[in-house]
Amino acid sequence: MNLFLDAFWRAVAYCLHPRVIVLSLLPLLLTVALAGGLGYYFWDNTLEWVRGALEASTLVNTVWDWLQSVGAGSLKLALAPLIVIFAVTPILVMLSLLTVALLMTPLLTRLVAARRFPQLERKHGGSLVRSLLWSLGSTGLALIALLVSLPLWLIPPLILVLPPLIWGWLTYRVMAFDALAEHASVEERREIFRRHRGWLLGIGVFCGYLGAAPSLLWASGVLFAAAFVILMPLAIWLYTLIFALSSLWFAHYSLAALQALRAEADPVAAPPSPGATTIDVQALTLPDEPTANANTSL
């Protein structure tokens, strides 16, 4: 718990670093460009397809008739855009996560290592190719879990649990691997995953719930549709900043756990704790201790 909380407040403090703020804008630019391109070419056609599917549904028409009778018929206009938006949300989250993992996580990990763990040996247990394959594999599993769990989202309590849990698991898998890729060996990374899996998953789930917070910007119905150009970049930037926080959190936690693991294996080689003072025992002389050159007499 101490390591968990210590890594958290350090990550929050690092988010105020100018370099972190600048880095958080780079994935935003890439994601906004991709989202804008997809929206430009596919938004209208997707809306028409969703509206056609809704109009062909008897159940939806019954609901619309009931809404019209209670004076809420205007919600019909916002339903199709909201469906498209909420369907695209998980994809944007995954894209933001991968972008942060590929662009920001290595840089932020090096920042934490240089400022806090400069003496920690780099064993390069995870190459760029292995990290990419690990991220793609984990993302594929998370997407499958999201698709399989979609029917369960209709149950009110589960929609508050399943998406953050899946995103948190993905965050834990990607961020923890990248945080240890440069410094830990394969065996050390597996041992840290075994010992700290619960806490690492807890960081991921907590960040998963934080990642769901920007979705509140997308729940404004018609207002969101009118302010799409403004709210979309803001929401994605918030996602990116939250992922930067999670990356820093994982970096502080994982590197501190790695340092503690190596200290267990070789206590002598472990770096001294901050504030520790080295004492030269040979330089000490007790008050009444005779020196080597003193003459003694009986």
Side-chain angles (χ1 to χ4, degrees):
M1 176 61 75
N2 292 336
L3 181 58
F4 182 87
L5 295 178
D6 178 76
F8 173 73
W9 76 258
R10 290 179 184 274
V12 172
Y14 272 57
C15 283
L16 303 177
H17 195 283
R19 186 184 303 178
V20 176
I21 297 176
V22 172
L23 288 174
S24 68
L25 298 176
L26 297 179
L28 171 65
L29 296 177
L30 294 177
T31 307
V32 168
L34 182 58
L38 293 176
Y40 179 79
Y41 288 104
F42 300 105
W43 176 259
D44 292 335
N45 294 333
T46 304
L47 281 183
E48 291 298 327
W49 181 82
V50 172
R51 288 194 181 104
L54 292 176
E55 292 175 356
S57 173
T58 304
L59 177 61
V60 174
N61 288 325
T62 303
V63 174
W64 280 348
D65 293 339
W66 176 79
L67 291 175
Q68 188 72 31
S69 64
V70 297
S74 60
L75 293 177
K76 177 180 179 180
L77 299 176
L79 184 58
L82 286 177
I83 291 177
V84 175
I85 291 168
F86 285 120
V88 172
T89 298
I91 300 176
L92 291 177
V93 171
M94 300 300 176
L95 179 61
S96 298
L97 177 57
L98 286 178
T99 305
V100 171
L102 293 175
L103 297 180
M104 292 183 64
T105 301
L107 297 177
L108 295 179
T109 302
R110 294 189 187 101
L111 176 65
V112 172
R115 293 171 63 92
R116 190 180 173 200
F117 304 97
Q119 298 179 353
L120 196 62
E121 180 185 358
R122 289 171 169 82
K123 295 188 177 181
H124 303 285
S127 62
L128 178 61
V129 175
R130 181 177 295 181
S131 176
L132 182 60
L133 293 176
W134 181 275
S135 299
L136 291 176
S138 300
T139 303
L141 293 176
L143 287 175
I144 293 174
L146 283 172
L147 293 176
V148 172
S149 64
L150 277 178
L152 299 177
W153 292 18
L154 299 177
I155 304 175
L158 294 182
I159 196 173
L160 300 176
V161 176
L162 291 179
L165 184 61
I166 295 173
W167 295 337
W169 177 86
L170 178 59
T171 304
Y172 142 66
R173 293 272 294 181
V174 174
M175 295 294 184
F177 184 95
D178 289 338
L180 294 170
E182 187 172 352
H183 289 79
S185 64
V186 177
E187 293 76 14
E188 289 174 334
R189 183 180 68 247
R190 291 174 180 173
E191 181 64 18
I192 291 175
F193 274 31
R194 185 187 66 83
R195 292 189 183 187
H196 301 273
R197 180 176 288 109
W199 290 109
L200 291 172
L201 182 59
I203 297 175
V205 171
F206 184 83
C207 294
Y209 277 102
L210 287 180
S215 297
L216 296 176
L217 292 174
W218 300 0
S220 55
V222 177
L223 177 61
F224 174 78
F228 181 86
V229 178
I230 298 176
L231 294 182
M232 174 66 79
L234 178 60
I236 296 176
W237 181 77
L238 288 177
Y239 276 124
T240 307
L241 192 60
I242 290 171
F243 289 145
L245 171 65
S246 65
S247 179
L248 289 166
W249 196 353
F250 277 108
H252 280 288
Y253 187 99
S254 301
L255 294 181
L258 177 61
Q259 186 179 62
L261 179 64
R262 291 180 180 175
E264 292 180 9
D266 189 3
V268 177
S273 58
T277 304
T278 303
I279 301 176
D280 189 356
V281 179
Q282 296 180 354
L284 294 178
T285 304
L286 297 178
D288 298 331
E289 180 183 2
T291 61
N293 296 328
N295 296 325
T296 58
S297 59
L298 297 176

